[in-house]
Amino acid sequence: IIGVVITSFSMIELASSFGVLPALREIKQNGLYSSVRHPIYRGNLLTGIGFLLKDPNPANFVIFFAFILLTVIRINREEIALSSMGNDYQDYCSRVKYRFVPCLY
């Protein structure tokens, strides 16, 4: 439930800046975006952990870790696109150190 709430609030905060594909849009820096740069993915991660705890089996572990790997790849690609926005995004990155897991990544 916490993961779904974080994901939902993150999408609401993005408003018209939300998109399925990475694109050069307004940089959100307040709210959930002041603690990590990709809080939607943090919410998805927490939701995935919840599903994994509810039904811990080998297939779900494989799916969960594949999801983590693909999310990290997507974040890296998004950060490359966003870095082309110039100093605004770089300044934001210097203030908000972590991408989606505080103190880790």
Side-chain angles (χ1 to χ4, degrees), residues 44-60:
N44 291 342
L45 173 70
L46 292 173
T47 301
I49 290 170
F51 282 119
L52 192 58
L53 291 173
K54 183 186 177 309
D55 190 12
N57 65 60
N60 285 346

Side-chain angles (χ1 to χ4, degrees), residues 3 14 28 33 40-41 43 52 64 75 87 102:
L14 276 179
K28 298 295 181 179
Y33 290 85
I40 290 175
Y41 299 139
L52 192 58
F64 178 74
I75 286 173
N87 291 336

Side-chain angles (χ1 to χ4, degrees), residues 27-90:
I27 299 170
K28 298 295 181 179
Q29 301 181 36
N30 301 322
L32 295 170
Y33 290 85
S34 64
S35 61
V36 293
R37 296 194 300 257
H38 302 278
I40 290 175
Y41 299 139
R42 177 175 55 180
N44 291 342
L45 173 70
L46 292 173
T47 301
I49 290 170
F51 282 119
L52 192 58
L53 291 173
K54 183 186 177 309
D55 190 12
N57 65 60
N60 285 346
F61 276 98
V62 170
I63 291 167
F64 178 74
F65 287 109
F67 166 75
I68 298 279
L69 177 64
L70 293 172
T71 298
V72 168
I73 291 169
R74 179 176 175 129
I75 286 173
N76 289 334
R77 288 183 176 206
E78 283 184 15
E79 298 249 321
I80 290 168
L82 292 168
S83 291
S84 69
M85 292 182 80
N87 291 336
D88 289 344
Y89 192 72
Q90 294 166 0

